[in-house]
Amino acid sequence: GAGVSQSPRYKVAKRGQDVALRCDPISGHVSLFWYQQALGQGPEFLTYFQNEAQLDKSGLPSDRFFAERPEGSVSTLKIQRTQQEDSAVYLCASSRRDRGSTDTQYFGPGTRLTVL
Amino acid sequence: GNSVTQMEGPVTLSEEAFLTINCTYTATGYPSLFWYVQYPGEGLQLLLKATKADDKGSNKGFEATYRKETTSFHLEKGSVQVSDSAVYFCALSRSNDYKLSFGAGTTVTVRA
């Protein structure tokens, strides 16, 4: 079946603009994760959803970052008033079950955000 | 907190050479350990995993053994191919958690 998809694949924003990044997880997957990957670094956890409930947002770097998953499937990561330090690849991942450290997370291709 | 330290790259090898990428971790409790791979132009994908001490994960000729005594999970492959050129990430998640903590990644290039 289809994997995790993300759109847009590339986004260029001027400093101060708002952006919205979309994630379509694998159908039926309960868990959804967002990660931020800076150039040359490994992904860093941002937030976690179990169905529509956002159970962990401890990794969001500031209150300019907001994520939602209103119907328990598609998720949107919104960044308000973008700053240059927000430039990164934003990765979405989903897994079949709820919290379980051994459950495989399937990653999307990412959205590369460049803030000028 | 949780952290993963992996060998810095880039690593350049000839085809059929032996590959080792070192990975050590710091975590409370008994984490699960993973190796993810990112091929050029593609997304991260799980290569192998191990969920308890002394477990060996294996896939596509790659192996890694969960060593609790040395807090390590080194990745090895006996004979690499050009198609193994990729960025490799070591990662962990705690037994009561779900977040992945990643190392910085190691870029491997295999030359024909």
Side-chain angles (χ1 to χ4, degrees):
Chain A
V4 178
S5 61
Q6 294 184 245
S7 60
R9 291 292 310 277
Y10 303 90
K11 177 68 178 177
V12 178
K14 292 183 179 178
R15 191 161 55 95
Q17 284 185 331
D18 297 348
V19 298
L21 312 180
R22 177 187 169 107
C23 172
D24 285 82
I26 294 172
S27 178
H29 276 198
V30 168
S31 294
L32 186 144
F33 309 80
W34 284 98
Y35 293 86
Q36 180 191 57
Q37 186 175 16
L39 187 64
Q41 300 298 314
E44 298 273 349
F45 171 80
L46 293 176
T47 188
Y48 165 71
F49 289 86
Q50 180 178 305
N51 294 310
E52 69 279 3
Q54 187 175 21
L55 300 185
D56 188 341
K57 51 184 181 179
S58 62
L60 296 177
S62 78
D63 59 7
R64 295 186 295 104
F65 286 70
F66 172 77
E68 60 184 4
R69 193 187 185 197
E71 297 179 359
S73 54
V74 172
S75 177
T76 303
L77 176 68
K78 297 179 180 178
I79 309 173
Q80 297 177 324
R81 305 180 303 282
T82 52
Q83 303 296 314
Q84 285 189 322
E85 62 262 28
D86 300 335
S87 296
V89 176
Y90 291 85
L91 298 171
C92 176
S94 69
S95 65
R96 187 168 52 88
R97 297 172 297 173
D98 59 12
R99 309 180 199 226
S101 63
T102 62
D103 203 17
T104 299
Q105 293 185 28
Y106 296 89
F107 283 80
T111 295
R112 182 179 296 278
L113 172 64
T114 302
V115 181
L116 302 178
Chain B
N2 302 328
S3 68
V4 174
T5 302
Q6 64 181 101
M7 188 172 83
E8 288 187 17
V11 175
T12 303
L13 301 166
S14 296
E15 228 173 0
E16 300 184 3
F18 183 85
L19 171 67
T20 298
I21 304 175
N22 290 341
C23 172
T24 57
Y25 67 89
T26 302
T28 55
Y30 302 93
S32 293
L33 301 174
F34 306 82
W35 277 100
Y36 276 81
V37 60
Q38 189 169 33
Y39 297 104
E42 299 184 16
L44 275 170
Q45 53 186 277
L46 180 67
L47 180 60
L48 53 83
K49 67 181 182 184
T51 59
K52 59 183 188 295
D54 300 325
D55 267 3
K56 178 185 285 187
S58 61
N59 186 25
K60 298 183 180 181
F62 289 89
E63 291 185 341
T65 301
Y66 188 159
R67 301 286 189 199
K68 187 167 173 55
E69 62 276 13
T70 54
T71 63
S72 66
F73 192 54
H74 304 322
L75 183 69
E76 297 182 336
K77 185 172 185 180
S79 177
V80 293
Q81 304 300 312
V82 172
S83 57
D84 294 324
S85 298
V87 183
Y88 293 82
F89 293 91
C90 186
L92 69 80
S93 65
R94 294 187 305 172
S95 57
N96 61 348
D97 207 332
Y98 37 80
K99 313 170 198 181
L100 288 169
S101 297
F102 286 88
T106 303
T107 300
V108 173
T109 302
V110 180
R111 295 180 174 169

Tab-separated table of all heavy atoms in Angstrom, chain A residues 9 33 35 37 40-45 48 55-56 58-59 91 99-110, chain B residues 30-32 34 36 38 41-46 49 51 89 93-105:
chain	number	residue	atom	x	y	z
A	9	ARG	N	6.939	19.141	-0.957
A	9	ARG	CA	8.262	18.556	-0.742
A	9	ARG	C	9.289	19.646	-0.453
A	9	ARG	O	10.257	19.424	0.279
A	9	ARG	CB	8.684	17.765	-1.977
A	9	ARG	CG	7.883	16.498	-2.206
A	9	ARG	CD	8.154	15.447	-1.119
A	9	ARG	NE	9.562	15.213	-0.902
A	9	ARG	CZ	10.312	14.408	-1.633
A	9	ARG	NH1	9.774	13.739	-2.640
A	9	ARG	NH2	11.602	14.256	-1.356
A	33	PHE	N	4.080	10.973	14.187
A	33	PHE	CA	5.180	11.730	14.785
A	33	PHE	C	5.652	12.797	13.803
A	33	PHE	O	5.654	12.584	12.592
A	33	PHE	CB	6.377	10.816	15.065
A	33	PHE	CG	6.057	9.568	15.834
A	33	PHE	CD1	5.496	8.460	15.201
A	33	PHE	CD2	6.335	9.484	17.184
A	33	PHE	CE1	5.210	7.305	15.899
A	33	PHE	CE2	6.061	8.325	17.891
A	33	PHE	CZ	5.494	7.236	17.249
A	35	TYR	N	9.205	15.123	13.205
A	35	TYR	CA	10.603	15.324	13.570
A	35	TYR	C	11.155	16.485	12.743
A	35	TYR	O	10.692	16.738	11.624
A	35	TYR	CB	11.440	14.079	13.261
A	35	TYR	CG	11.126	12.859	14.101
A	35	TYR	CD1	10.111	11.983	13.735
A	35	TYR	CD2	11.860	12.569	15.255
A	35	TYR	CE1	9.818	10.860	14.499
A	35	TYR	CE2	11.579	11.436	16.021
A	35	TYR	CZ	10.556	10.602	15.637
A	35	TYR	OH	10.273	9.481	16.389
A	37	GLN	N	14.787	17.862	11.120
A	37	GLN	CA	16.161	17.448	10.820
A	37	GLN	C	16.934	18.622	10.241
A	37	GLN	O	16.706	19.029	9.097
A	37	GLN	CB	16.177	16.279	9.844
A	37	GLN	CG	17.569	15.711	9.595
A	37	GLN	CD	17.558	14.482	8.711
A	37	GLN	OE1	16.579	14.183	8.036
A	37	GLN	NE2	18.661	13.747	8.706
A	40	GLY	N	22.857	18.070	8.152
A	40	GLY	CA	23.980	17.343	8.718
A	40	GLY	C	23.731	16.729	10.085
A	40	GLY	O	24.659	16.231	10.718
A	41	GLN	N	22.491	16.766	10.524
A	41	GLN	CA	22.145	16.222	11.848
A	41	GLN	C	21.110	15.112	11.733
A	41	GLN	O	20.482	14.934	10.690
A	41	GLN	CB	21.593	17.337	12.739
A	41	GLN	CG	22.554	18.476	12.974
A	41	GLN	CD	23.809	18.014	13.687
A	41	GLN	OE1	23.751	17.263	14.672
A	41	GLN	NE2	24.959	18.432	13.187
A	42	GLY	N	20.911	14.387	12.822
A	42	GLY	CA	19.841	13.412	12.861
A	42	GLY	C	18.527	14.085	13.187
A	42	GLY	O	18.495	15.209	13.692
A	43	PRO	N	17.425	13.430	12.897
A	43	PRO	CA	16.111	13.988	13.221
A	43	PRO	C	15.936	14.190	14.725
A	43	PRO	O	16.419	13.394	15.529
A	43	PRO	CB	15.139	12.928	12.691
A	43	PRO	CG	15.902	12.161	11.666
A	43	PRO	CD	17.322	12.148	12.158
A	44	GLU	N	15.217	15.262	15.070
A	44	GLU	CA	14.882	15.561	16.459
A	44	GLU	C	13.368	15.536	16.612
A	44	GLU	O	12.642	16.156	15.826
A	44	GLU	CB	15.409	16.948	16.857
A	44	GLU	CG	16.909	17.105	16.799
A	44	GLU	CD	17.584	16.679	18.089
A	44	GLU	OE1	16.869	16.456	19.091
A	44	GLU	OE2	18.827	16.566	18.097
A	45	PHE	N	12.904	14.862	17.648
A	45	PHE	CA	11.469	14.733	17.904
A	45	PHE	C	10.818	16.086	18.155
A	45	PHE	O	11.361	16.928	18.878
A	45	PHE	CB	11.269	13.827	19.124
A	45	PHE	CG	9.864	13.775	19.638
A	45	PHE	CD1	8.916	12.966	19.021
A	45	PHE	CD2	9.472	14.536	20.734
A	45	PHE	CE1	7.615	12.914	19.503
A	45	PHE	CE2	8.183	14.495	21.217
A	45	PHE	CZ	7.250	13.680	20.599
A	48	TYR	N	3.954	14.188	19.093
A	48	TYR	CA	3.390	12.867	18.889
A	48	TYR	C	1.865	12.907	19.026
A	48	TYR	O	1.336	13.532	19.954
A	48	TYR	CB	3.973	11.893	19.920
A	48	TYR	CG	3.215	10.593	20.050
A	48	TYR	CD1	3.265	9.637	19.041
A	48	TYR	CD2	2.443	10.314	21.183
A	48	TYR	CE1	2.577	8.450	19.158
A	48	TYR	CE2	1.741	9.120	21.300
A	48	TYR	CZ	1.819	8.193	20.296
A	48	TYR	OH	1.124	7.014	20.391
A	55	LEU	N	-0.460	13.835	22.398
A	55	LEU	CA	-0.054	13.385	23.722
A	55	LEU	C	1.296	13.910	24.172
A	55	LEU	O	1.628	13.831	25.348
A	55	LEU	CB	-0.055	11.858	23.784
A	55	LEU	CG	-1.405	11.183	23.517
A	55	LEU	CD1	-1.295	9.683	23.740
A	55	LEU	CD2	-2.500	11.788	24.383
A	56	ASP	N	2.066	14.411	23.244
A	56	ASP	CA	3.399	14.901	23.608
A	56	ASP	C	3.784	15.985	22.618
A	56	ASP	O	3.849	15.725	21.424
A	56	ASP	CB	4.403	13.748	23.586
A	56	ASP	CG	5.773	14.141	24.130
A	56	ASP	OD1	6.093	15.337	24.198
A	56	ASP	OD2	6.542	13.225	24.470
A	58	SER	N	6.465	18.054	23.632
A	58	SER	CA	7.630	18.540	24.366
A	58	SER	C	8.780	18.973	23.467
A	58	SER	O	9.641	19.725	23.893
A	58	SER	CB	8.125	17.457	25.329
A	58	SER	OG	8.530	16.305	24.609
A	59	GLY	N	8.818	18.504	22.222
A	59	GLY	CA	9.911	18.846	21.338
A	59	GLY	C	9.676	20.090	20.496
A	59	GLY	O	10.599	20.544	19.807
A	91	LEU	N	10.131	15.957	8.993
A	91	LEU	CA	9.778	14.575	8.706
A	91	LEU	C	8.543	14.159	9.482
A	91	LEU	O	8.393	14.493	10.651
A	91	LEU	CB	10.936	13.646	9.094
A	91	LEU	CG	12.254	13.849	8.367
A	91	LEU	CD1	13.345	13.010	9.010
A	91	LEU	CD2	12.118	13.486	6.909
A	99	ARG	N	1.438	3.660	21.655
A	99	ARG	CA	2.780	3.670	22.224
A	99	ARG	C	3.375	2.267	22.343
A	99	ARG	O	2.799	1.400	22.958
A	99	ARG	CB	2.762	4.269	23.639
A	99	ARG	CG	2.083	5.588	23.731
A	99	ARG	CD	2.140	6.046	25.159
A	99	ARG	NE	1.153	7.069	25.409
A	99	ARG	CZ	1.405	8.190	26.073
A	99	ARG	NH1	2.619	8.424	26.519
A	99	ARG	NH2	0.458	9.060	26.291
A	100	GLY	N	4.520	2.127	21.748
A	100	GLY	CA	5.193	0.838	21.819
A	100	GLY	C	6.557	1.021	21.222
A	100	GLY	O	6.691	1.282	20.046
A	101	SER	N	7.569	0.906	21.989
A	101	SER	CA	8.887	1.306	21.521
A	101	SER	C	9.408	0.410	20.419
A	101	SER	O	10.299	0.808	19.699
A	101	SER	CB	9.865	1.317	22.691
A	101	SER	OG	10.001	0.003	23.208
A	102	THR	N	8.873	-0.778	20.247
A	102	THR	CA	9.401	-1.659	19.218
A	102	THR	C	8.618	-1.565	17.914
A	102	THR	O	8.960	-2.231	16.954
A	102	THR	CB	9.368	-3.122	19.699
A	102	THR	OG1	8.007	-3.491	19.929
A	102	THR	CG2	10.159	-3.276	20.981
A	103	ASP	N	7.574	-0.769	17.902
A	103	ASP	CA	6.765	-0.663	16.697
A	103	ASP	C	7.499	0.173	15.658
A	103	ASP	O	7.980	1.257	15.952
A	103	ASP	CB	5.416	-0.032	17.045
A	103	ASP	CG	4.342	-0.376	16.043
A	103	ASP	OD1	4.536	-1.328	15.270
A	103	ASP	OD2	3.304	0.305	16.038
A	104	THR	N	7.586	-0.313	14.443
A	104	THR	CA	8.343	0.379	13.403
A	104	THR	C	7.671	1.685	13.029
A	104	THR	O	6.462	1.726	12.793
A	104	THR	CB	8.468	-0.509	12.161
A	104	THR	OG1	9.163	-1.692	12.508
A	104	THR	CG2	9.214	0.216	11.051
A	105	GLN	N	8.454	2.738	12.983
A	105	GLN	CA	7.981	4.020	12.480
A	105	GLN	C	8.344	4.123	11.006
A	105	GLN	O	9.495	3.936	10.634
A	105	GLN	CB	8.598	5.179	13.273
A	105	GLN	CG	8.115	5.222	14.717
A	105	GLN	CD	8.620	6.423	15.481
A	105	GLN	OE1	8.896	7.486	14.899
A	105	GLN	NE2	8.748	6.283	16.785
A	106	TYR	N	7.352	4.434	10.173
A	106	TYR	CA	7.545	4.575	8.738
A	106	TYR	C	7.590	6.074	8.415
A	106	TYR	O	6.654	6.796	8.751
A	106	TYR	CB	6.414	3.894	7.966
A	106	TYR	CG	6.378	2.402	8.168
A	106	TYR	CD1	5.650	1.845	9.221
A	106	TYR	CD2	7.087	1.552	7.333
A	106	TYR	CE1	5.622	0.476	9.435
A	106	TYR	CE2	7.065	0.177	7.528
A	106	TYR	CZ	6.339	-0.351	8.583
A	106	TYR	OH	6.323	-1.707	8.796
A	107	PHE	N	8.665	6.465	7.766
A	107	PHE	CA	8.894	7.887	7.522
A	107	PHE	C	8.449	8.308	6.127
A	107	PHE	O	8.585	7.551	5.154
A	107	PHE	CB	10.378	8.214	7.689
A	107	PHE	CG	10.809	8.310	9.116
A	107	PHE	CD1	11.076	7.173	9.856
A	107	PHE	CD2	10.927	9.548	9.741
A	107	PHE	CE1	11.465	7.261	11.195
A	107	PHE	CE2	11.313	9.645	11.067
A	107	PHE	CZ	11.574	8.494	11.784
A	108	GLY	N	7.975	9.539	6.042
A	108	GLY	CA	7.726	10.170	4.771
A	108	GLY	C	9.003	10.756	4.197
A	108	GLY	O	10.052	10.751	4.858
A	109	PRO	N	8.932	11.317	2.982
A	109	PRO	CA	10.122	11.860	2.326
A	109	PRO	C	10.574	13.197	2.901
A	109	PRO	O	11.685	13.635	2.635
A	109	PRO	CB	9.680	12.015	0.868
A	109	PRO	CG	8.206	12.208	0.961
A	109	PRO	CD	7.746	11.381	2.114
A	110	GLY	N	9.707	13.830	3.682
A	110	GLY	CA	10.079	15.096	4.307
A	110	GLY	C	9.701	16.313	3.470
A	110	GLY	O	9.481	16.225	2.259
B	30	TYR	N	15.833	0.144	29.709
B	30	TYR	CA	16.254	-0.806	28.681
B	30	TYR	C	15.701	-0.367	27.334
B	30	TYR	O	14.604	-0.776	26.939
B	30	TYR	CB	15.771	-2.215	29.057
B	30	TYR	CG	16.291	-2.653	30.405
B	30	TYR	CD1	15.548	-2.454	31.569
B	30	TYR	CD2	17.549	-3.227	30.512
B	30	TYR	CE1	16.047	-2.834	32.795
B	30	TYR	CE2	18.051	-3.614	31.743
B	30	TYR	CZ	17.297	-3.406	32.881
B	30	TYR	OH	17.785	-3.778	34.103
B	31	PRO	N	16.454	0.441	26.619
B	31	PRO	CA	15.926	0.962	25.356
B	31	PRO	C	15.900	-0.085	24.258
B	31	PRO	O	16.577	-1.112	24.338
B	31	PRO	CB	16.926	2.071	24.999
B	31	PRO	CG	18.213	1.618	25.614
B	31	PRO	CD	17.813	0.933	26.903
B	32	SER	N	15.114	0.177	23.241
B	32	SER	CA	15.214	-0.549	21.978
B	32	SER	C	16.145	0.225	21.068
B	32	SER	O	16.200	1.455	21.124
B	32	SER	CB	13.836	-0.681	21.322
B	32	SER	OG	13.004	-1.504	22.097
B	34	PHE	N	17.917	0.841	17.093
B	34	PHE	CA	17.558	0.776	15.678
B	34	PHE	C	18.709	1.295	14.818
B	34	PHE	O	19.478	2.154	15.241
B	34	PHE	CB	16.341	1.677	15.389
B	34	PHE	CG	15.134	1.419	16.263
B	34	PHE	CD1	15.049	1.954	17.534
B	34	PHE	CD2	14.090	0.645	15.800
B	34	PHE	CE1	13.944	1.732	18.338
B	34	PHE	CE2	12.968	0.408	16.599
B	34	PHE	CZ	12.901	0.957	17.861
B	36	TYR	N	18.566	3.070	11.049
B	36	TYR	CA	17.799	3.556	9.917
B	36	TYR	C	18.773	3.919	8.807
B	36	TYR	O	19.909	4.334	9.066
B	36	TYR	CB	16.964	4.783	10.291
B	36	TYR	CG	15.634	4.457	10.938
B	36	TYR	CD1	15.563	4.146	12.294
B	36	TYR	CD2	14.456	4.447	10.194
B	36	TYR	CE1	14.342	3.846	12.886
B	36	TYR	CE2	13.232	4.147	10.786
B	36	TYR	CZ	13.185	3.848	12.126
B	36	TYR	OH	11.981	3.547	12.715
B	38	GLN	N	19.113	6.046	4.944
B	38	GLN	CA	18.526	7.006	3.998
B	38	GLN	C	19.324	6.948	2.718
B	38	GLN	O	20.457	7.450	2.650
B	38	GLN	CB	18.542	8.407	4.599
B	38	GLN	CG	17.783	9.438	3.803
B	38	GLN	CD	17.609	10.730	4.586
B	38	GLN	OE1	18.454	11.117	5.378
B	38	GLN	NE2	16.491	11.408	4.371
B	41	GLY	N	18.016	10.593	-2.183
B	41	GLY	CA	16.720	10.958	-2.736
B	41	GLY	C	15.536	10.259	-2.127
B	41	GLY	O	14.403	10.438	-2.593
B	42	GLU	N	15.773	9.447	-1.100
B	42	GLU	CA	14.678	8.705	-0.488
B	42	GLU	C	14.504	9.067	0.980
B	42	GLU	O	15.344	9.741	1.574
B	42	GLU	CB	14.931	7.203	-0.616
B	42	GLU	CG	15.024	6.717	-2.049
B	42	GLU	CD	15.167	5.206	-2.124
B	42	GLU	OE1	14.904	4.521	-1.121
B	42	GLU	OE2	15.553	4.713	-3.204
B	43	GLY	N	13.411	8.609	1.566
B	43	GLY	CA	13.151	8.858	2.983
B	43	GLY	C	13.845	7.849	3.870
B	43	GLY	O	14.376	6.838	3.407
B	44	LEU	N	13.842	8.136	5.158
B	44	LEU	CA	14.407	7.217	6.150
B	44	LEU	C	13.641	5.900	6.147
B	44	LEU	O	12.409	5.896	6.126
B	44	LEU	CB	14.277	7.816	7.548
B	44	LEU	CG	15.339	8.766	8.034
B	44	LEU	CD1	14.893	9.415	9.330
B	44	LEU	CD2	16.649	8.034	8.242
B	45	GLN	N	14.372	4.809	6.222
B	45	GLN	CA	13.708	3.516	6.349
B	45	GLN	C	14.447	2.659	7.356
B	45	GLN	O	15.673	2.737	7.483
B	45	GLN	CB	13.575	2.809	4.996
B	45	GLN	CG	14.857	2.655	4.224
B	45	GLN	CD	14.601	2.071	2.834
B	45	GLN	OE1	14.482	0.869	2.656
B	45	GLN	NE2	14.517	2.953	1.843
B	46	LEU	N	13.685	1.850	8.059
B	46	LEU	CA	14.274	0.989	9.069
B	46	LEU	C	15.127	-0.086	8.410
B	46	LEU	O	14.691	-0.773	7.491
B	46	LEU	CB	13.176	0.332	9.900
B	46	LEU	CG	13.649	-0.604	11.011
B	46	LEU	CD1	14.380	0.170	12.084
B	46	LEU	CD2	12.461	-1.359	11.608
B	49	LYS	N	16.630	-3.753	13.846
B	49	LYS	CA	16.401	-3.322	15.212
B	49	LYS	C	16.675	-4.469	16.178
B	49	LYS	O	16.704	-5.644	15.781
B	49	LYS	CB	14.979	-2.811	15.398
B	49	LYS	CG	13.894	-3.879	15.263
B	49	LYS	CD	12.513	-3.258	15.436
B	49	LYS	CE	11.423	-4.322	15.348
B	49	LYS	NZ	10.058	-3.702	15.424
B	51	THR	N	15.597	-5.340	20.463
B	51	THR	CA	14.774	-4.834	21.551
B	51	THR	C	15.279	-5.219	22.939
B	51	THR	O	14.783	-4.692	23.927
B	51	THR	CB	13.324	-5.320	21.404
B	51	THR	OG1	13.331	-6.748	21.402
B	51	THR	CG2	12.723	-4.808	20.111
B	89	PHE	N	21.752	6.001	10.221
B	89	PHE	CA	21.444	6.629	11.502
B	89	PHE	C	21.203	5.552	12.555
B	89	PHE	O	20.373	4.653	12.356
B	89	PHE	CB	20.178	7.489	11.413
B	89	PHE	CG	20.298	8.702	10.554
B	89	PHE	CD1	19.978	8.650	9.201
B	89	PHE	CD2	20.736	9.900	11.085
B	89	PHE	CE1	20.080	9.770	8.398
B	89	PHE	CE2	20.839	11.041	10.300
B	89	PHE	CZ	20.509	10.972	8.948
B	93	SER	N	14.823	4.093	21.357
B	93	SER	CA	13.625	4.535	22.060
B	93	SER	C	13.559	3.775	23.374
B	93	SER	O	13.950	2.617	23.448
B	93	SER	CB	12.362	4.311	21.232
B	93	SER	OG	12.129	2.951	21.031
B	94	ARG	N	13.085	4.443	24.402
B	94	ARG	CA	13.010	3.816	25.721
B	94	ARG	C	11.823	2.869	25.796
B	94	ARG	O	10.874	2.993	25.021
B	94	ARG	CB	12.918	4.882	26.807
B	94	ARG	CG	14.160	5.737	26.937
B	94	ARG	CD	14.070	6.640	28.131
B	94	ARG	NE	12.856	7.446	28.099
B	94	ARG	CZ	12.455	8.217	29.101
B	94	ARG	NH1	13.180	8.273	30.206
B	94	ARG	NH2	11.358	8.927	29.020
B	95	SER	N	11.886	1.993	26.768
B	95	SER	CA	10.859	0.957	26.852
B	95	SER	C	9.483	1.523	27.158
B	95	SER	O	8.471	0.924	26.818
B	95	SER	CB	11.245	-0.063	27.924
B	95	SER	OG	11.440	0.582	29.168
B	96	ASN	N	9.409	2.684	27.809
B	96	ASN	CA	8.101	3.257	28.127
B	96	ASN	C	7.843	4.508	27.303
B	96	ASN	O	7.042	5.348	27.692
B	96	ASN	CB	8.021	3.578	29.612
B	96	ASN	CG	9.070	4.597	30.033
B	96	ASN	OD1	9.991	4.888	29.270
B	96	ASN	ND2	8.934	5.146	31.218
B	97	ASP	N	8.505	4.613	26.215
B	97	ASP	CA	8.424	5.823	25.399
B	97	ASP	C	8.292	5.423	23.940
B	97	ASP	O	8.325	4.259	23.592
B	97	ASP	CB	9.690	6.659	25.619
B	97	ASP	CG	9.471	8.137	25.393
B	97	ASP	OD1	8.579	8.465	24.595
B	97	ASP	OD2	10.199	8.932	25.994
B	98	TYR	N	8.160	6.367	23.079
B	98	TYR	CA	7.904	6.083	21.674
B	98	TYR	C	8.739	6.983	20.767
B	98	TYR	O	8.823	6.769	19.588
B	98	TYR	CB	6.418	6.324	21.370
B	98	TYR	CG	5.903	7.510	22.138
B	98	TYR	CD1	6.142	8.795	21.693
B	98	TYR	CD2	5.271	7.328	23.359
B	98	TYR	CE1	5.736	9.881	22.432
B	98	TYR	CE2	4.867	8.431	24.106
B	98	TYR	CZ	5.087	9.697	23.649
B	98	TYR	OH	4.693	10.772	24.392
B	99	LYS	N	9.350	8.013	21.391
B	99	LYS	CA	10.131	8.921	20.575
B	99	LYS	C	11.428	8.238	20.183
B	99	LYS	O	12.026	7.514	20.970
B	99	LYS	CB	10.515	10.169	21.372
B	99	LYS	CG	9.417	10.802	22.147
B	99	LYS	CD	10.009	11.847	23.070
B	99	LYS	CE	9.020	12.189	24.166
B	99	LYS	NZ	9.536	13.218	25.076
B	100	LEU	N	11.872	8.485	18.977
B	100	LEU	CA	13.191	8.042	18.551
B	100	LEU	C	14.201	9.148	18.804
B	100	LEU	O	13.963	10.304	18.460
B	100	LEU	CB	13.174	7.682	17.066
B	100	LEU	CG	12.432	6.393	16.691
B	100	LEU	CD1	12.266	6.305	15.182
B	100	LEU	CD2	13.175	5.177	17.216
B	101	SER	N	15.327	8.766	19.411
B	101	SER	CA	16.458	9.682	19.555
B	101	SER	C	17.531	9.206	18.587
B	101	SER	O	17.966	8.048	18.667
B	101	SER	CB	16.990	9.669	20.992
B	101	SER	OG	16.010	10.133	21.889
B	102	PHE	N	17.960	10.080	17.697
B	102	PHE	CA	18.868	9.703	16.613
B	102	PHE	C	20.280	10.213	16.864
B	102	PHE	O	20.485	11.275	17.472
B	102	PHE	CB	18.393	10.313	15.289
B	102	PHE	CG	17.186	9.655	14.685
B	102	PHE	CD1	15.914	10.068	15.023
B	102	PHE	CD2	17.336	8.641	13.755
B	102	PHE	CE1	14.799	9.479	14.456
B	102	PHE	CE2	16.231	8.040	13.167
B	102	PHE	CZ	14.958	8.454	13.517
B	103	GLY	N	21.242	9.471	16.315
B	103	GLY	CA	22.585	10.001	16.180
B	103	GLY	C	22.637	10.955	14.992
B	103	GLY	O	21.644	11.153	14.285
B	104	ALA	N	23.811	11.519	14.765
B	104	ALA	CA	23.964	12.551	13.731
B	104	ALA	C	24.024	11.980	12.322
B	104	ALA	O	23.929	12.724	11.351
B	104	ALA	CB	25.213	13.388	14.007
B	105	GLY	N	24.186	10.669	12.208
B	105	GLY	CA	24.254	10.054	10.882
B	105	GLY	C	25.680	9.888	10.393
B	105	GLY	O	26.564	10.705	10.704
